[in-house]
Amino acid sequence: MMRTRPLKVALLGCGVVGSEVARIMTTHAADLAARIGAPVELAGVAVRRPSKVREGIDPALVTTDATALVKRGDIDVVVEVIGGIEPARTLITTAFEHGASVVSANKALLAQDGAALHATAVEQGRDLYYEAAVAGAIPLIRPLRESLAGDKVNRVLGIVNGTTNFILDKMDSAGAGYQEALDEATALGYAEADPTADVEGFDAAAKAAILAGIAFHTRVRLDDVYREGMTEVTAADFASANEMGCTIKLLAICERALDGGSVTARVHPAMIPLDHPLASVRGAYNAVFVEAEAAGQLMFYGPGAGGSPTASAVLGDLVAVCRNRLNGATGPGDSAYTQLPVSPMGDSVTRYHISLDVADKPGVLAQVATVFAEHGVSIDTVRQSGKDGEASLVVVTHRAADAALTGTVDALRQLDTVRGVASIMRVEGE
């Protein structure tokens, strides 16, 4: 039997995502009510510019006083899509304290202060759901938090930023330069006017922190994630990758140590083999590869950004939270019982592709090989080419710790025969 009194929803933010959430709530009201067991009512919309015309939203619902909206006391669920740290953090905490559960898409806030927000939600007996914070419409948080709750996840490897994937895909498939590909991404609306958060890896790092925390049941904050952007990736890097049967992606990688005693989380460009499922992820799409002990290898794929995809994830959380509200229960919260330490990047182990500019004369290869051996880094393959006294030396290593590779490169730079290190690229997915 359906309850007739509606559940009241406050919407914080009415931009691309917020306006789509409001539209779906209105146009699909009957379906949402049937799925939840009670109607949902948009009770207020907090915005910065109240004079802007918002199609389909009653102007009487619009307010600039977000604090007063979340303090009303009759709000059942607050949907936060304003982003950033403040005022979002204070508004979410205030919502909990005044009896509302929260659905958020705020990856930056959750990566930085997720533990504190979860603690407040538990203290107040409320829900905190955030499927939309990672990978847009792709159901990922809930499978990790619920479907795989009985399994042991060992690795999460993924493309979690559509803007950077679009740029790298264009550089690979069309031979575009970085700036040309970025300009196209901006023109199509994939990249912001200031693309720093995307291209320097900040966005992906926040998502990696969230994924690692859920997958490994431990505390992982944004500061724990090693981050390296993709602005230095060149056409020469793609040429080298193609010669190896690889392409280049900006990856978020979360791993449990082999001994199970620690975890790592990192974001950086990497070469991956063309036969790996992530290599075929094109355009602005996202994909995440999960490796679990019992389930094996799972891949989640789909649109990772945009108003409609992100709103889809928000509405899925809204339905779940409203159902919990009707049943007088809460869903799964924070699970950080393992308290595993997060290891530094120097402990991460992977293969490396190093391109060196060297003098074209006898003995250079022997000198370089000696440096690798002295630092305990095993060489897999070497390719050398050059003329007129200058040469290029490409070395691909076996798996080695990042700290060992860093020491190797520092030593190589001290050789008189090494003119410079053209590029260093990690090789993943093998």
Side-chain angles (χ1 to χ4, degrees):
M1 181 176 179
M2 183 178 293
R3 192 181 83 166
T4 56
R5 185 173 69 81
L7 292 161
K8 294 188 176 183
V9 178
L11 180 60
L12 307 182
C14 198
V16 174
V17 176
S19 59
E20 189 66 9
V21 169
R23 184 192 69 79
I24 295 173
M25 284 184 64
T26 302
T27 58
H28 295 179
D31 285 338
L32 290 173
R35 294 165 190 171
I36 292 169
V40 287
E41 173 188 314
L42 188 59
V45 182
V47 300
R48 285 184 297 178
R49 296 186 296 275
S51 59
K52 181 179 177 181
V53 176
R54 295 173 172 85
E55 186 177 349
I57 296 178
D58 183 352
L61 297 177
V62 176
T63 178
T64 58
D65 194 342
T67 301
L69 178 59
V70 300
K71 282 184 172 181
R72 274 179 36 173
D74 64 336
I75 300 296
D76 294 288
V77 184
V78 169
V79 174
E80 182 271 311
V81 288
I82 56 178
I85 306 302
E86 288 291 357
R89 173 170 49 198
T90 299
L91 290 171
I92 289 174
T93 301
T94 303
F96 288 141
E97 293 170 347
H98 286 78
S101 289
V102 173
V103 172
S104 176
N106 196 330
K107 53 188 170 289
L109 177 58
L110 288 159
Q112 178 171 305
D113 290 316
L117 293 176
H118 273 293
T120 304
V122 170
E123 180 183 331
Q124 300 297 329
R126 301 303 173 203
D127 275 323
L128 173 61
Y129 276 48
Y130 44 91
E131 185 68 66
V134 180
I138 304 171
L140 184 58
I141 300 298
R142 194 167 292 135
L144 284 173
R145 197 158 70 164
E146 299 179 33
S147 303
L148 295 174
D151 206 339
K152 180 181 180 182
V153 176
N154 291 317
R155 194 173 195 229
V156 179
L157 171 76
I159 298 164
V160 295
N161 183 277
T163 300
T164 54
N165 198 59
F166 178 88
I167 293 170
L168 291 172
D169 184 33
K170 282 294 178 183
M171 292 177 70
D172 187 17
S173 62
Y178 167 74
Q179 190 60 51
E180 180 186 355
L182 173 59
D183 290 344
E184 184 174 353
T186 303
L188 292 171
Y190 295 137
E192 301 287 345
D194 179 1
T196 302
D198 293 324
V199 300
E200 294 295 350
F202 291 101
D203 175 85
K207 295 170 182 177
I210 294 170
L211 291 174
I214 296 171
F216 307 133
H217 304 281
T218 196
R219 301 272 186 232
V220 181
R221 300 180 73 250
L222 180 58
D223 292 344
D224 295 322
V225 182
Y226 172 84
R227 176 195 55 78
E228 187 180 314
M230 43 75 69
T231 57
E232 301 301 318
V233 177
T234 65
D237 291 325
F238 273 104
S240 294
N242 290 335
E243 289 179 3
M244 289 180 59
C246 293
T247 188
I248 299 172
K249 299 291 186 182
L250 184 73
L251 299 179
I253 304 167
C254 312
E255 294 179 307
R256 189 190 300 270
L258 291 177
D259 64 5
S262 65
V263 299
T264 59
R266 49 197 166 99
V267 168
H268 53 71
M271 296 181 181
I272 58 173
L274 293 175
D275 59 1
H276 191 281
L278 292 179
S280 60
V281 178
R282 299 294 188 184
Y285 276 71
N286 283 190
V288 177
F289 206 71
V290 177
E291 299 176 11
E293 203 165 83
Q297 297 179 332
L298 309 171
M299 183 166 148
F300 301 84
Y301 169 84
S308 294
T310 306
S312 171
V314 170
L315 267 295
D317 278 351
L318 179 62
V319 169
V321 169
C322 285
R323 285 172 176 168
N324 292 342
R325 191 84 171 185
L326 287 179
N327 293 326
T330 55
D334 192 22
S335 174
Y337 69 89
T338 62
Q339 298 182 4
L340 296 173
V342 182
S343 296
M345 182 61 186
D347 293 347
S348 296
V349 177
T350 189
R351 297 179 67 206
Y352 292 86
H353 177 283
I354 305 102
S355 180
L356 305 171
D357 294 327
V358 299
D360 187 16
K361 62 181 184 180
V364 173
L365 181 56
Q367 286 185 324
V368 169
T370 298
V371 170
F372 276 88
E374 289 174 346
H375 288 80
V377 179
S378 176
I379 294 175
D380 182 18
T381 62
V382 177
R383 186 173 68 254
Q384 185 173 10
S385 62
K387 60 181 180 179
D388 300 328
E390 298 296 330
S392 174
L393 192 65
V394 175
V395 179
V396 179
T397 74
H398 288 289
R399 290 174 63 83
D402 187 83
L405 194 282
T406 299
T408 303
V409 172
D410 288 344
L412 288 171
R413 289 193 169 105
Q414 303 306 311
L415 296 178
D416 291 339
T417 51
V418 174
R419 311 295 193 216
V421 179
S423 70
I424 303 172
M425 186 78 66
R426 295 170 182 88
V427 183
E428 300 284 351
E430 294 187 317

